[in-house]
Amino acid sequence: MRVPVVIVGAGPAGLTAAALLGRYGVECLVLERWESVYPQPRAVHLDDEVHRILGRLGLAGEFAAISRPCHGLRLLDPDLRVLAEFRRSPGGGRHGYPEANMFDQPDLEHLLRTHLATVGTVTLRGNTEVTGIRQDGTGVRVEVTDRGTDARETVHADYVLGCDGANSLTRTAIGATMADLKFDQRWLVVDVATTAGLGQWEGVHQVCDPARAATYMRIGKTRYRWEFRLLPGETGDDFGHLDRLHPLIAPWTGDIPPGDLEIVRVAEYTFRAQLADRWRDRRVFLLGDAAHLTPPFIGQGMGAGLRDAANLAWKLAGVLEGTLPASALGTYEAERKPHARAMIRRAVLVGKAMTEGGRFGDLIRRVVAPHLNGRVLDSATPALHRTDLVVRPRFGRSLAGRLCPNALLDDGTRFDDVAGGRFAVVTTSTPSETERAAIRESGAVLVTTRRSGELHRWLRTGAAVVRPDGTVQSDGNSLSRSLPRFTAP
């Protein structure tokens, strides 16, 4: 069997990569060792930039139905008094979606799987174990075993995307290793269901307490999560019964009888900060937790995997179609790795604000934390670094590498609706017929801003070339500056 793309792992990163590739008509096979969605809750947050990726798949409405807007984050002292508050808009932000969204990961995976069932070029095979990945001059050989029948098979692929998690076989196969970014803490993660109202602020509560740091958040209509740093000698098994657990969550549950609280899950996790030393070997790529592990303090772990998928999928589609050079794939790691490192460092900084003791911890909490709003907890993430597909000047300001807003246009549609997975030229001036013809020939779409419009205020003057993933490739006065030919269907 031969397919253009094999995706190892059907978690959020793998499913999103498959859906985005399917949008371009790329045939791909998703291999997952489990038969169905893992039922336990894990990731619970994504921001408006990541929500926008789901919107490009036509899933914004469905995701809104299974998620809950979050009002932001509060840093609290050990007595639950507010040290700092960072609000997020529960309405539409710059990308048209709430800036913070709470959800249950199994619900998201069910949504993505249901969507993939409608994509004719994507096949998902569960209960299938990938046992080996080898490259040769013609492509990649993927050895698989059916876990039900023990039948073995070799799948030949042009490219392989390793979305197989923290214990990635794909990462081992390409000889990559995880670099430790010096954060390692054991935490208790608790999910509780109750129909009783807790009456708490509708945002994330981070308790900054060196003795017992904690996190509280509402996930859904009847679902709540707590995370508590474990003390030396404690394990998750120590809190498997409500009589041991209740004293920890009582500051939020108040007078609600313990009998009205249903424990959905109690588990021990080690929060780590790690980054793979390389994300690619020739035709094999790493995405999601296979490439990076992020402490959960700013809710960017799972979203990073979806960002990986959004960055790579259109480039891979263009290379397979023959409208982009193979060198375009070299920009994936060059763009995503520094971005992932920056987000991990943000998460580590907030984690230290919660857990550090002594004078250093007090300095972070009392002096640094109130000034973190624009730098650490804004929903806008850093610009991508310079590559062949991010044309930034070495000096001076530029929009290149940043996301173009998913702005409302004059006809009531949004930018992504018009761009439709293609390159777009956004301009404040009326282009000549020659320029229009060049844009059409390249496969791009033209978006002319109006003075009163959101895009005009963002762009101000001149023009910007926006990539299929919404990232600005270049800006300036030339409409066709560095505009590649990209005609993937």
Side-chain angles (χ1 to χ4, degrees):
M1 178 181 182
R2 188 173 190 96
V3 292
V5 180
V6 165
I7 297 174
V8 184
L15 294 171
T16 301
L20 290 166
L21 287 167
R23 188 175 182 226
Y24 289 111
V26 175
E27 183 183 358
C28 56
L29 173 65
V30 184
L31 302 173
E32 169 57 48
R33 72 185 308 268
W34 303 111
E35 181 63 35
S36 58
V37 170
Y38 184 69
Q40 292 292 344
R42 286 154 290 154
V44 294
H45 170 270
L46 58 81
D47 63 19
D48 54 340
E49 293 185 354
V50 179
H51 196 162
R52 185 176 177 182
I53 297 171
L54 299 176
R56 293 193 193 104
L57 296 173
L59 299 177
E62 288 89 339
F63 179 71
I66 63 168
S67 61
R68 185 182 188 89
C70 174
H71 290 190
L73 180 145
R74 282 178 177 172
L75 299 184
L76 309 177
D77 71 8
D79 296 318
L80 305 190
R81 293 175 299 197
V82 177
L83 294 171
E85 180 173 298
F86 312 100
R87 286 193 170 269
R88 294 275 180 91
S89 170
R94 66 173 70 85
H95 300 301
Y97 306 111
E99 291 181 338
N101 305 269
M102 311 305 294
F103 66 98
D104 194 7
Q105 182 172 332
D107 290 343
L108 175 60
E109 293 187 21
H110 278 297
L111 175 61
L112 289 167
R113 283 179 177 237
T114 300
H115 173 71
L116 283 187
T118 69
V119 181
T121 58
V122 177
T123 301
L124 171 59
R125 284 171 51 179
N127 216 28
T128 303
E129 186 88 37
V130 175
T131 58
I133 298 172
R134 296 176 180 84
Q135 299 190 67
D136 56 32
T138 62
V140 191
R141 297 174 55 194
V142 182
E143 306 293 336
V144 300
T145 300
D146 187 299
R147 299 179 71 222
T149 65
D150 289 330
R152 298 182 180 181
E153 179 186 0
T154 299
V155 180
H156 299 269
D158 294 322
Y159 294 95
V160 169
L161 309 186
C163 307
D164 46 347
N167 300 314
S168 171
L169 177 143
T170 310
R171 186 176 63 237
T172 301
I174 68 171
T177 58
M178 284 296 218
D180 186 5
L181 301 184
K182 301 188 178 358
F183 190 92
D184 190 309
Q185 294 183 353
R186 294 185 312 116
W187 283 66
L188 182 73
V189 179
V190 179
D191 288 276
V192 169
T194 181
T195 57
L198 272 60
Q200 300 291 338
W201 180 67
E202 292 286 333
V204 178
H205 303 200
Q206 302 273 31
V207 181
C208 304
D209 185 355
R212 174 84 80 182
T215 305
Y216 157 82
M217 64 200 86
R218 184 173 185 172
I219 304 303
K221 186 176 181 180
T222 60
R223 275 276 319 283
Y224 302 85
R225 169 170 291 185
W226 287 265
E227 297 166 353
F228 300 96
R229 188 175 182 185
L230 289 168
L231 306 181
E234 291 181 337
T235 69
D237 293 338
D238 296 335
F239 298 92
H241 298 286
L242 192 57
D243 58 343
R244 287 293 310 276
L245 182 63
H246 190 257
L248 294 181
I249 65 176
W252 290 272
T253 60
D255 296 331
I256 298 172
D260 291 346
L261 305 173
E262 175 193 353
I263 297 178
V264 177
R265 178 189 65 153
V266 176
E268 178 181 332
Y269 279 87
T270 300
F271 295 165
R272 292 189 171 95
Q274 295 182 342
L275 195 66
D277 59 350
R278 59 190 180 120
W279 294 25
R280 178 194 184 188
D281 177 22
R282 291 166 287 172
R283 293 175 175 268
V284 179
F285 298 82
L286 302 180
L287 293 80
D289 285 357
H292 41 73
L293 294 174
T294 307
F297 304 114
I298 58 173
Q300 289 289 337
M302 189 207 74
L306 272 66
R307 295 178 198 274
D308 296 342
N311 184 287
L312 181 58
W314 68 272
K315 299 172 183 176
L316 191 53
V319 170
L320 288 167
E321 182 71 13
T323 58
L324 286 179
S327 61
L329 300 178
T331 65
Y332 165 64
E333 179 177 344
E335 293 173 1
R336 284 295 307 136
K337 188 176 180 180
H339 189 278
R341 182 186 290 110
M343 298 308 290
I344 292 171
R345 285 174 174 168
R346 289 185 179 189
V348 168
L349 179 60
V350 174
K352 288 183 176 180
M354 292 176 61
T355 61
E356 287 286 348
R359 291 184 177 180
F360 179 63
D362 290 341
L363 175 66
I364 294 176
R365 286 184 286 277
R366 297 295 183 184
V367 178
V368 180
H371 301 284
L372 293 180
N373 195 21
R375 298 177 54 201
V376 174
L377 296 170
D378 190 282
S379 68
T381 59
L384 301 182
H385 284 204
R386 285 170 52 93
T387 67
D388 290 344
L389 292 171
V390 177
V391 185
R392 297 180 63 182
R394 294 193 179 276
F395 304 101
R397 300 182 65 179
S398 172
L399 295 173
R402 302 192 179 278
L403 282 176
C404 171
N406 187 25
L408 272 174
L409 306 179
D410 289 348
D411 61 359
T413 61
R414 288 195 176 271
F415 174 82
D416 285 350
D417 300 326
V418 174
R422 298 167 289 179
F423 275 85
V425 175
V426 184
T427 176
T428 60
S429 60
T430 301
S432 68
E433 186 52 45
T434 300
E435 290 170 325
R436 289 176 182 270
I439 292 168
R440 288 194 299 268
E441 177 64 23
S442 71
V445 62
L446 174 66
V447 180
T448 303
T449 69
R450 300 288 184 263
R451 286 191 176 276
S452 60
E454 182 181 349
L455 274 182
H456 193 285
R457 292 191 295 272
W458 165 75
L459 186 56
R460 297 181 184 173
T461 60
V465 174
V466 181
R467 308 185 325 187
D469 59 1
T471 301
V472 177
Q473 175 164 295
S474 61
D475 61 350
N477 293 316
S478 173
L479 292 177
S480 57
R481 180 184 177 188
S482 65
L483 180 63
R485 182 170 176 267
F486 179 79
T487 57

